[in-house]
Amino acid sequence: DGVDRLVLPGVGHFGAAAEQLKASGFFNTLKSWAAAGRPLLGICLGMQLMFDESEEDGCRNRGLGIFRGRVGSLRGPRRLHMGWNSVVPAGPDGIVSGGYYYFVHGFAPRAENGKDVLADSRFGETTFSAVVSRGPVLGVQFHPEKSGALGLEFLARWAAGHTNGARPAGPRTVPPPAAGDAMPTVRIIPCLDMDDGRVVKGIRFENLRDAGDPVERARRYDGQGADELCFLDVGATWKSRRTLLEIVRRVSREIFIPLTVGGGLRSVEDIREALHAGADKVSLGTAAVVNPRLLREAAERFGRQCLVCSIDAKTKNGSWTVTTHGGRRDRDLEAVVWARRAEAAGAGEILLNAVDRDGTGTGYDLELLRHVRAAVRIPVIASGGGDMPSHAWDAVNRGKADAVLLASVLHNDRRTISDFKRYLRKKGARIR
């Protein structure tokens, strides 16, 4: 029918995806397509489905069996391998260049036949197959469409018919353990607070002022090396959310790094619309506190890897209380307790905003960060008060944050993302 190559993408659960492929009739079609040696590319879950079975569903559902081996659980310092990590090619001149690519997964394959492996990666104690190939049939565990220039170069080579690279002679060997590879890189995430189609910024959610066009800002931050972008609808009305989703559609066609969208998402259907508009993750704040079941329902449908729980915390009686509705309503809920509950409900990441410091430029709340970091096994993003590169280093080094959110300091053009990355790299942080 004029189709010369297929892509099998995927985000979600191995068992549910295998069952859906069988129910739709695509399962045997894909097996026949691959057996005929026709070009096929599996991405993330799509790659895992190319293997025999997965521990994710207790090995109950058979995979496509194109590659021999089992998909196993990752053993690492976080529940999910989320962020940019290094890929180590097996040999020179392959389809995949060495460098940093974007991963988001909790399970990964180990190919039984070393000759199938084009590249490896590592997370914590687990070294896994990052790229496998058999002729024109390839699988990649990272997301090339969200891996910036390197990912686009890979896709261009695959589309042009470049598949196998040179493999080393003899038995396949994996990269030696390296402490620096145990965790993804520190992520720098610009936050674009949106209202009526414009970027705005204030102090502690008040006195909002215009900070520019969101698409132009997104292009600028991508050019400076942003690892992700975060769009938050501070208006949080139906009209403003619709405007934001249209902006996300425009940005996702031009910028190939992960996008998070939040603000006014109150239902599974709202989340579905945001993901279909081009978001890779959604941020749930007030809605998750009011209805914690939303996290569980969304995790079951879309996977926890796309769910960020946004916690706006204020100091109160020597601790921190969760606030909602832009920091205006005290929920009488301890922030560390809520972070732990949110993880149990299905959140894949915590966006931790210190409301008292928001927009002040006084640095992140390191005590708050440390307490939440100790309570959960999912990544934690520091937010609220970051103004200097030293603040970012403190959040990562002393607060143990996995990523830092930046807003005013970038919107005011006082510093660039490159300034922050240079400083962190000099301090010894692992930076893309």
Side-chain angles (χ1 to χ4, degrees):
D1 297 327
V3 177
D4 61 359
R5 58 193 63 234
L6 292 176
V7 177
L8 178 60
V11 172
H13 189 274
F14 183 97
E19 290 174 358
Q20 182 63 34
L21 284 176
K22 292 169 185 174
S24 65
F26 281 114
F27 190 87
N28 289 330
T29 299
L30 288 168
K31 286 177 69 73
S32 299
W33 182 282
R38 304 182 72 181
L40 173 64
L41 173 62
I43 297 175
C44 196
L45 178 59
M47 174 200 188
Q48 295 177 18
L49 289 164
M50 292 176 159
F51 283 79
D52 294 321
E53 58 190 6
S54 174
E55 294 175 2
E56 186 172 18
D57 75 333
C59 300
R60 288 187 294 272
N61 285 277
R62 296 294 296 176
L64 293 165
I66 298 169
F67 300 99
R68 299 304 307 274
R70 173 180 292 183
V71 178
S73 177
L74 294 173
R75 296 188 301 275
R78 301 287 183 267
R79 184 186 292 270
L80 292 175
H81 182 206
M82 180 181 292
W84 298 78
N85 211 340
S86 55
V87 167
V88 182
D93 304 321
I95 185 172
V96 177
S97 303
Y100 291 114
Y101 295 80
Y102 185 79
F103 292 88
V104 53
H105 59 121
F107 295 81
R110 286 292 302 271
E112 289 184 5
N113 187 345
K115 294 182 179 179
D116 290 337
V117 181
L118 288 186
D120 286 311
S121 190
R122 180 178 177 83
F123 176 58
E125 302 173 10
T126 307
T127 299
F128 59 89
S129 305
V131 185
V132 291
S133 169
R134 186 169 295 168
V137 180
L138 276 81
V140 294
Q141 183 61 70
F142 56 84
H143 281 268
E145 78 284 5
K146 293 297 176 181
S147 294
L150 280 180
L152 294 181
E153 290 169 7
F154 162 78
L155 290 173
R157 286 193 289 269
W158 181 75
H162 183 176
T163 54
N164 292 341
R167 289 172 169 80
R172 171 74 178 136
T173 58
V174 299
D181 292 336
M183 287 284 289
T185 63
V186 172
R187 287 171 287 151
I188 305 297
I189 307 175
C191 181
L192 291 85
D193 290 330
M194 301 288 301
D195 190 21
D196 197 23
R198 299 288 292 180
V199 180
V200 296
K201 193 55 189 169
I203 298 177
R204 302 184 185 95
F205 302 123
E206 297 178 349
N207 300 319
L208 299 179
R209 62 187 183 278
D210 188 278
D213 174 71
V215 178
E216 187 277 329
R217 284 282 170 186
R219 290 196 198 101
R220 182 184 305 185
Y221 298 149
D222 181 45
Q224 293 175 5
D227 297 302
E228 297 183 17
L229 292 174
C230 184
F231 294 87
L232 297 181
D233 178 15
V234 297
T237 65
W238 183 88
K239 178 182 177 181
S240 61
R241 185 170 72 246
R242 291 289 165 182
T243 302
L244 174 59
L245 294 184
E246 179 54 37
I247 290 169
V248 170
R249 290 186 187 95
R250 292 167 56 195
V251 170
S252 66
R253 290 194 290 265
E254 300 184 35
I255 294 173
F256 302 96
I257 56 176
L259 308 178
T260 298
V261 174
L265 304 179
R266 300 180 177 88
S267 67
V268 169
E269 180 59 24
D270 289 343
I271 295 170
R272 186 194 67 79
E273 287 188 358
L275 296 175
H276 281 198
D280 301 280
K281 296 185 282 188
V282 296
S283 176
L284 301 176
T286 297
V289 175
V290 173
N291 178 22
R293 287 179 299 178
L294 179 59
L295 283 171
R296 193 174 306 280
E297 292 169 0
E300 291 173 354
R301 181 165 176 182
F302 306 112
R304 70 162 64 232
Q305 77 289 329
C306 71
L307 296 179
V308 181
C309 182
S310 179
I311 301 177
D312 291 327
K314 279 186 176 181
T315 55
K316 180 181 179 181
N317 300 327
S319 184
W320 301 270
T321 186
V322 174
T323 65
T324 58
H325 300 84
R328 294 184 295 274
R329 187 175 300 179
D330 185 344
R331 307 301 301 200
D332 196 26
L333 173 62
E334 210 280 325
V336 179
V337 171
W338 171 232
R340 191 181 295 114
R341 290 178 184 172
E343 178 184 22
E349 197 165 26
I350 298 291
L351 172 54
L352 186 61
N353 183 44
V355 175
D356 302 301
R357 295 171 180 248
D358 183 77
T360 66
T362 56
Y364 301 99
D365 189 330
L366 303 183
E367 280 299 308
L368 173 61
L369 279 169
R370 279 195 288 263
H371 279 77
V372 172
R373 171 73 280 153
V376 300
R377 288 193 59 234
I378 54 179
V380 176
I381 304 169
S383 175
D387 187 72
M388 300 171 60
S390 60
H391 293 159
W393 171 243
D394 286 342
V396 171
N397 184 47
R398 297 168 57 193
K400 307 304 178 184
D402 299 275
V404 293
L405 208 70
L406 298 171
S408 297
V409 63
L410 302 179
H411 304 336
N412 295 338
D413 298 320
R414 287 183 287 109
R415 291 184 178 84
T416 67
I417 294 169
S418 301
D419 294 334
F420 280 84
K421 287 199 166 188
R422 277 194 298 269
Y423 184 92
L424 290 172
R425 191 175 287 114
K426 287 180 181 178
K427 285 291 188 177
R430 194 160 172 253
I431 297 293
R432 176 174 73 101

